Amino acid sequence: NTVRSVLASSDSGRRLEIIVVDDGSEEDPRGTLRDAFGNAVTVIRIPPSGVCAARNIGTEASSGTFVAFLDDDDCALAGWVAALCPPDISSDVAAVCVGARLVGPGSDEVEQLLPRDLGAMFLHIWGSGLAGTFAIRRSVLVAVGGFWTELRFGELTELWIRLAEWIISSEARVVSDASVVVQINRRPASERSH
């Protein structure tokens, strides 16, 4: 459903690269994804290595200017691709952030998360730091060293601390769009893989 939602959220004339990194699932998803989406999706299988390694491998395999990460239980809504990757984006933009609809575990509880001042720890950059709520210029992600593979949780917080420092020192910008274009399904702590 995640891949289907990304394809549905995209403009039909827009080049889109979808890379699924399977981080050691019991069943090989390549055949299922190939049958459903043909060549629209690249699937990379790795032994269980954690979310940080999976995201780094996906980034290395990508060729786009911007990369975004969406967990397998989340859903891109209409306009997700267009909001994260506007066509005429300035070269000084390091990241683009959007709003999200957060759905509580096992309920219909909905909370809205919009880009905001991330606080002093993030040098007061405006943004949003959950997977699915931001796209980052690929070259910037590589410049800051990608995700730290030693981390098992808090990887997005740690990444945004380094991103904030890089953005400020490079005089780059983060663009925020208050459009709610992604649904993030919160898992109970006992079900999280990291």
Side-chain angles (χ1 to χ4, degrees), residues 66 79-80 82-86 89-90 92-100 113-119 122 124-130 132-136 160 167 172-181:
F66 280 83
W80 185 70
L84 285 175
C85 300
I89 195 154
S90 172
D92 68 335
V93 173
V96 179
C97 297
V98 297
L113 173 72
L114 298 178
R116 65 200 182 290
D117 181 335
L118 296 175
F122 303 96
H124 293 286
I125 285 182
W126 275 73
S128 48
L130 296 177
T133 66
F134 67 93
I136 182 168
W160 272 96
I167 288 165
R173 296 185 302 133
V174 174
V175 173
S176 294
D177 181 336
S179 302
V180 174
V181 291

Side-chain angles (χ1 to χ4, degrees), residues 13-91:
R14 187 160 209 167
R15 183 180 168 273
L16 186 64
E17 181 179 35
I18 298 174
I19 300 171
V20 174
V21 180
D22 175 29
D23 182 26
S25 66
E26 291 181 18
E27 293 186 30
D28 187 342
R30 290 179 287 197
T32 302
L33 290 169
R34 186 176 38 253
D35 291 347
F37 305 109
N39 293 330
V41 177
T42 299
V43 181
I44 301 170
R45 273 183 65 87
I46 62 173
S49 305
V51 67
C52 294
R55 288 179 177 158
N56 287 340
I57 288 168
T59 300
E60 288 173 21
S62 70
S63 62
T65 303
F66 280 83
V67 293
F69 304 95
L70 197 59
D71 293 334
D72 65 351
D73 60 341
D74 298 334
C75 182
L77 304 175
W80 185 70
V81 172
L84 285 175
C85 300
D88 297 326
I89 195 154
S90 172
S91 63

